[in-house]
Amino acid sequence: MEKTAITPTRGQNYPEWYQQIIVAADLAENSAVRGCMVIKPWGYAIWELMQQDLDKRFKKTGHVNAYFPLLIPLSYLEKEAEHVDGFAKECAVVTHHRLVPDEVNVGLKPDGELDEPFVIRPTSETIIGESFSKWVKSYRDLPLLINQWANVMRWEMRTRLFLRTSEFLWQEGHTAHATKEEAVAETEQMLKVYAAFAEDVLAMPVIQGEKPCFERFPGAVNTYCIEAMMQDCKALQAGTSHFLGQNFAKASGIQYQNKNGELETAWTTSWGVSTRMIGGLIMTHSDDNGLVLPPRIAPQQFVIQPIYRNDEQRAQVLAYCQQLKQDLEAQVFAGNEIRVHIDDRDIQGGAKSWEWIKKGVPVRIEVGMRDIEKDAVMVARRDAVGSKQSTPRAELLTSAIALLTEIQDGLFSKALEFRNSKMREINSLVEFNEFFAGENNIDSGFAIAYAVDETGIEEFIKPLKVTARCMPLDNNDVAGVCIFTGKLASKKMVFAKAY
RNA sequence: CGGGGUGUAGCGCAGUCUGGUUAGCGCACUUGAUUUGGGAUCAAGGGGUCGUGAGUUCGAAUCCCACCACCCCGACCA
């Protein structure tokens, strides 16, 4: 059998493979704090690229950044009934404001109990709502389009690096509008922003849809999402956008005077993506040799490995590499300077190569004396491990952008093809059960079937450990028969095992 | 919170059943030599409160008791 850099392989043990990818690519590790991760430089660099790209998209659609407190007074959370129900079970609570020596004087204990406990934000609707209520007085103050980059905490029972950790990084957009139509349009617009980002930058095909009523964000009127398929055929919710109606506006008192001087309640939205997307990125493209990064999200797009035997060669080769780096960096790919790194560390060539392969760098370039004599370089693509090709330097420079584009597009096509091959239209409950049959059948994929958007249908799917993911927005709106209830269903629904 | 399991070097483990020199092995790390265009070889090194506490014993990683932590399986979740 062929030797792979990662053991076990995806086929042997998918969850363990996922963990090993993170170790091998040096993305993150578990911290001393239960459920919280340390994001290491290579992983954080990916997050920074996500932030930069998304931030541009948010600004382009008229949003501005602001920052709100980490601590939320308990009473705020209590304002919205459904919201409380949804988050109460997973809140970290701050009850004291100082430490004093304990009885035996060997340690410290909390002291100075607070009159009102704080909750570490699991999300910020309520505290931002409080601010919004002060900021909004007139219809002229609307729409209010705010985004915050922050960390949040949800006390999770079981955690997995990136996919579910107690503390995670995200952005949360919060907007207030004068009319329902505007707020709905905002919700849909941001969903499209997420979808475009996922597909264009992460090369991760997504299904845009609306969550069924029993999967909604606590307190929302409608929740929209983008759903991606991982290589084990499970679904991952990669982003959400909520139309909150007037629920939070009423709870927080976000009111404005309209043109006629009448007091009206605003309509709000919220939307977010998190470091979870990194988990999705990993599981969409990576293979048994490590992480595979689409160029647009790769912290380094080219890594140059100088090869030499002595100091004299070293000087010559390095100078050549420096020039090559400069020439590449002078070019713009997808709106950014091409990112190039020269790895001149004193470690064995083979080991060095494999390190970058495992880190998912799209293109490696080897430069030695032999190449310099021909004014050519060896080019190795991450999407074709094992192949390496001598390319004239001039040709590499003129085709660098095309090369990155080709790799980017190739990864998207491959992921799309995979997902489409694992999606099936289902027309009956029998067929549905067959599709998801078997205890650990991870090859089921996405089932698409007519289903009514009513509570109760979960009972049919729960025993199969399947969840209703969403009602795709692009379905053609021809009604059909619900496979669970036999009633007329206006929309199709996607079902899958999920993260 | 139920059921199962594991704590020994940075990581992965053996040793525990059957107590007995200085607690081992692989990987990683350091140094030197030979190497170097796809995961090098040899040699020499450094690194340990054996999860914590209390006990049994001449003697405990090993046996007894208590506690703690973590992992896996279930209910909740971006």
Side-chain angles (χ1 to χ4, degrees):
Chain A
M1 197 162 39
E2 199 183 336
K3 189 191 174 190
T4 58
I6 304 295
T7 43
T9 61
R10 286 164 291 182
Q12 287 163 345
N13 184 346
Y14 195 85
E16 182 59 24
W17 165 84
Y18 174 78
Q19 305 274 13
Q20 291 307 319
I21 291 286
I22 292 171
V23 173
D26 209 23
L27 296 173
E29 62 191 23
N30 279 308
S31 73
V33 182
R34 191 197 123 87
C36 297
M37 63 178 162
V38 174
I39 305 176
K40 300 183 77 173
W42 193 249
Y44 200 78
I46 292 173
W47 177 239
E48 286 179 312
L49 288 169
M50 288 182 172
Q51 285 183 298
Q52 283 161 24
D53 194 284
L54 283 166
D55 205 63
K56 269 188 216 159
R57 292 171 196 256
F58 299 158
K59 302 271 170 66
K60 253 189 197 157
T61 43
H63 304 85
V64 289
N65 287 331
Y67 188 79
F68 300 85
L70 170 71
L71 300 178
I72 298 178
L74 189 54
S75 57
Y76 284 24
L77 210 66
E78 291 164 346
K79 285 179 187 173
E80 215 292 330
E82 284 184 31
H83 197 58
V84 183
D85 281 352
F87 286 107
K89 294 183 291 291
E90 44 185 349
C91 286
V93 188
V94 177
T95 53
H96 294 72
H97 67 86
R98 71 178 164 218
L99 295 167
V100 294
D102 66 14
E103 290 77 6
V104 283
N105 215 21
V106 292
L108 294 167
K109 64 169 188 182
D111 189 49
E113 188 164 356
L114 299 167
D115 291 342
E116 181 183 355
F118 289 111
V119 166
I120 298 179
R121 63 182 164 220
T123 179
S124 304
E125 273 74 9
T126 58
I127 195 148
I128 292 180
E130 171 70 14
S131 285
F132 277 19
S133 71
K134 288 189 286 186
W135 297 354
V136 174
K137 298 292 176 203
S138 149
Y139 69 92
R140 294 190 182 89
D141 297 325
L142 296 173
L144 186 52
L145 307 172
I146 300 287
N147 177 64
Q148 135 164 299
W149 288 97
N151 57 340
V152 288
M153 175 158 274
R154 299 178 186 177
W155 209 267
E156 298 291 348
M157 299 236 163
R158 296 189 56 203
T159 58
R160 294 184 74 186
L161 291 175
F162 292 118
L163 296 174
R164 174 161 296 109
T165 47
S166 289
E167 182 189 13
F168 58 92
L169 306 182
W170 78 345
Q171 66 51 227
E172 45 181 327
H174 294 271
T175 68
H177 306 262
T179 65
K180 179 182 176 180
E181 290 67 32
E182 264 184 56
V184 169
E186 165 78 3
T187 312
E188 290 170 352
Q189 172 185 246
M190 296 323 288
L191 186 75
K192 285 185 170 52
V193 166
Y194 286 155
F197 170 75
E199 301 200 331
D200 297 347
V201 178
L202 306 183
M204 178 195 290
V206 293
I207 294 174
Q208 301 177 47
E210 185 186 338
K211 285 286 184 193
C213 57
F214 48 88
E215 295 283 350
R216 267 182 213 135
F217 175 76
V221 172
N222 273 315
T223 287
Y224 297 87
C225 62
I226 51 172
E227 295 284 334
M229 186 191 282
M230 304 295 99
Q231 290 182 70
D232 60 353
C233 301
K234 286 166 97 172
L236 181 84
Q237 179 177 316
T240 48
S241 182
H242 313 291
F243 169 58
L244 302 175
Q246 293 181 309
N247 294 346
F248 285 89
K250 281 179 184 161
S252 301
I254 308 172
Q255 292 183 312
Y256 69 96
Q257 277 191 301
N258 66 18
K259 285 181 182 171
N260 305 321
E262 300 151 344
L263 205 54
E264 291 197 44
T265 299
W267 300 79
T268 65
T269 80
S270 70
W271 28 275
V273 300
S274 71
T275 37
R276 178 180 235 206
M277 264 197 163
I278 298 176
L281 181 70
I282 295 168
M283 290 196 288
T284 300
H285 304 297
S286 302
D287 60 23
D288 296 334
N289 285 314
L291 186 63
V292 176
L293 291 170
R296 291 186 66 172
I297 204 69
Q300 303 296 350
Q301 291 155 334
F302 289 88
V303 165
I304 303 174
Q305 295 176 230
I307 292 157
Y308 48 81
R309 286 166 192 266
N310 52 47
D311 284 352
E312 190 191 339
Q313 287 187 359
R314 178 171 188 272
Q316 209 178 334
V317 172
L318 273 184
Y320 189 93
C321 291
Q322 291 289 358
Q323 187 59 50
L324 182 61
K325 176 174 150 86
Q326 264 182 40
D327 292 344
L328 283 168
E329 284 175 345
Q331 302 190 40
V332 172
F333 169 67
N336 294 297
E337 185 178 283
I338 290 184
R339 298 184 284 271
V340 187
H341 174 66
I342 298 175
D343 185 359
D344 186 33
R345 288 174 307 160
D346 180 23
I347 57 174
Q348 190 100 17
K352 192 186 279 186
S353 299
W354 280 102
E355 197 175 299
W356 292 113
I357 289 169
K358 287 186 283 191
K359 280 176 173 287
V361 166
V363 187
R364 286 184 308 106
I365 297 176
E366 295 176 11
V367 178
M369 294 305 293
R370 277 187 252 151
D371 306 302
I372 294 178
E373 279 158 26
K374 291 187 292 183
D375 199 18
V377 297
M378 297 298 296
V379 175
R381 290 169 55 156
R382 180 59 183 86
D383 60 358
V385 169
S387 69
K388 193 159 71 171
Q389 196 171 345
S390 181
T391 308
R393 185 180 56 87
E395 188 185 319
L396 173 73
L397 288 174
T398 53
S399 65
I401 288 166
L403 175 61
L404 295 177
T405 305
E406 185 186 322
I407 295 172
Q408 181 83 29
D409 295 349
L411 289 174
F412 180 76
S413 306
K414 192 178 167 196
L416 182 64
E417 211 170 289
F418 176 79
R419 187 198 70 189
N420 289 344
S421 74
K422 299 288 186 180
M423 292 206 305
R424 229 177 81 193
E425 297 271 346
I426 298 290
N427 296 304
S428 71
L429 187 54
V430 173
E431 212 182 318
F432 184 84
N433 286 330
E434 273 171 12
F435 187 72
F436 288 113
E439 270 296 296
N440 294 307
N441 182 3
I442 56 162
D443 266 341
S444 327
F446 288 4
I448 301 165
Y450 278 108
V452 290
D453 181 15
E454 294 173 5
T455 52
I457 66 169
E458 310 101 284
E459 304 318 315
F460 290 95
I461 63 179
K462 255 189 176 165
L464 296 167
K465 294 181 181 173
V466 170
T467 56
R469 303 314 299 166
C470 68
M471 296 170 283
L473 297 184
D474 62 2
N475 87 45
N476 54 14
D477 291 331
V478 178
V481 179
C482 170
I483 62 166
F484 303 113
T485 62
K487 295 183 200 170
L488 199 63
S490 61
K491 287 173 179 169
K492 288 177 182 171
M493 211 177 270
V494 174
F495 300 88
K497 292 180 180 175
Y499 278 99

